[in-house]
Amino acid sequence: MITGKAVRLSAFEKRHLEKTRTWVNREDLAGFLDRARPVSEHEHSRWYENIIERQDCLFFAVETLPAEIAPVHIGNVWLWNIDTRHRKAELRVLIGEANGQNKGLGTEAISLLSQFAFKRMNLHKIYAYVLDTNPRARKSFEKAGYVLEGELKQDRWQDDRYIDVALLSCLAPAIK
Ligand SMILES: CC(C)(COP(=O)(O)OP(=O)(O)OC[C@H]1O[C@@H](n2cnc3c(N)ncnc32)[C@H](O)[C@@H]1OP(=O)(O)O)[C@@H](O)C(=O)NCCC(=O)NCCS
């Protein structure tokens, strides 16, 4: 468990699956996550069995604090493509509950996992791909200390057009 001020990151477990599938199947969120098609319950279960075995990704559920009220699962944050040789990983985040968004919780989840990656996993660089159609995510990563490395031109095909993608990153000493 990684505990922050307003959220905690808990080990991702079966109890987090149902909400997660609801979120990834929502059209508005799927676009930001670059998912092209809905996920069935069976596929979702297989995905879970796969990710808990893999060494190159690390999933957390984002749950609200304070703990005196029952924590609420509002989203997920995870490291993807963990590369121990080059000491880097991609960070992905999803705050799926509408009433959990725009309250600083996504930014805190990004910061908490980035610090964990640097301090506990000894990674050196964390990066994120953010679609240009998602200025809120861009702002959130920047608030967490990420800076622009470059723009990937016309990198994704979505809604009948190509979209540029920003590559943002944070190096170990620069994290807030
Ligand atoms: C992106 C996401 C992680 C941000 O987390 P959040 O808790 O909602 O956002 P925060 O409150 O921490 O910060 C958002 C910031 O963006 C700003 N913002 C919101 N909408 C904006 C917009 N359209 N343009 C520019 N900035 C915007 C907010 O004002 C806030 O900045 P401020 O604190 O300086 O006012 C979350 O909304 C989310 O998961 N969205 C859906 C999935 C997604 O986009 N994932 C990221 C894929 S890269």
Side-chain angles (χ1 to χ4, degrees):
M1 181 104 55
I2 305 169
T3 305
K5 288 186 181 140
V7 294
R8 68 182 194 189
L9 309 186
S10 304
F12 190 84
E13 296 180 21
K14 278 192 174 159
R15 66 190 169 93
H16 299 114
L17 277 175
E18 197 180 318
K19 272 193 178 179
T20 298
R21 190 165 83 92
T22 308
W23 297 329
V24 296
N25 279 340
R26 262 182 37 202
E27 210 171 320
D28 55 330
L29 296 176
F32 292 138
L33 300 172
D34 201 24
R35 293 204 65 90
R37 60 181 181 82
V39 180
S40 71
E41 199 172 333
H42 181 62
E43 282 173 312
H44 199 50
S45 303
R46 282 180 46 190
W47 165 82
Y48 175 70
E49 297 302 333
N50 179 259
I51 56 136
I52 55 172
E53 294 300 329
R54 285 174 60 164
Q55 301 296 310
D56 64 344
C57 61
L58 184 60
F59 266 74
F60 291 94
V62 181
E63 296 176 330
T64 53
L65 293 170
E68 56 264 22
I69 353 172
V72 179
H73 178 206
I74 56 159
N76 302 319
V77 64
W78 62 104
L79 295 175
W80 195 244
N81 290 325
I82 299 169
D83 180 338
T84 49
R85 178 174 169 217
H86 299 295
R87 295 173 53 211
K88 62 179 184 169
E90 181 185 344
L91 189 146
R92 298 184 182 180
V93 60
L94 162 67
I95 302 298
E97 291 293 274
N99 65 7
Q101 294 177 341
N102 301 317
K103 293 176 177 167
L105 306 182
T107 302
E108 189 181 358
I110 293 168
S111 295
L112 286 172
L113 184 53
S114 303
Q115 287 171 38
F116 179 84
F118 294 135
K119 291 180 185 162
R120 300 285 297 278
M121 297 173 69
N122 196 27
L123 294 181
H124 178 64
K125 178 181 187 174
I126 310 296
Y127 58 93
Y129 296 104
V130 180
L131 275 63
D132 274 7
T133 47
N134 197 355
R136 177 174 58 187
R138 169 88 177 250
K139 182 82 185 289
S140 188
F141 275 101
E142 287 173 346
K143 283 197 300 174
Y146 284 63
V147 295
L148 182 67
E149 276 205 10
E151 285 275 354
L152 309 177
K153 294 296 174 197
Q154 302 191 5
D155 197 62
R156 309 285 167 92
W157 172 255
Q158 242 183 42
D159 299 327
D160 298 329
R161 66 189 174 112
Y162 284 107
I163 296 173
D164 294 348
V165 172
L167 171 60
L168 304 171
S169 72
C170 187
L171 298 177
I175 190 72
K176 287 178 184 172

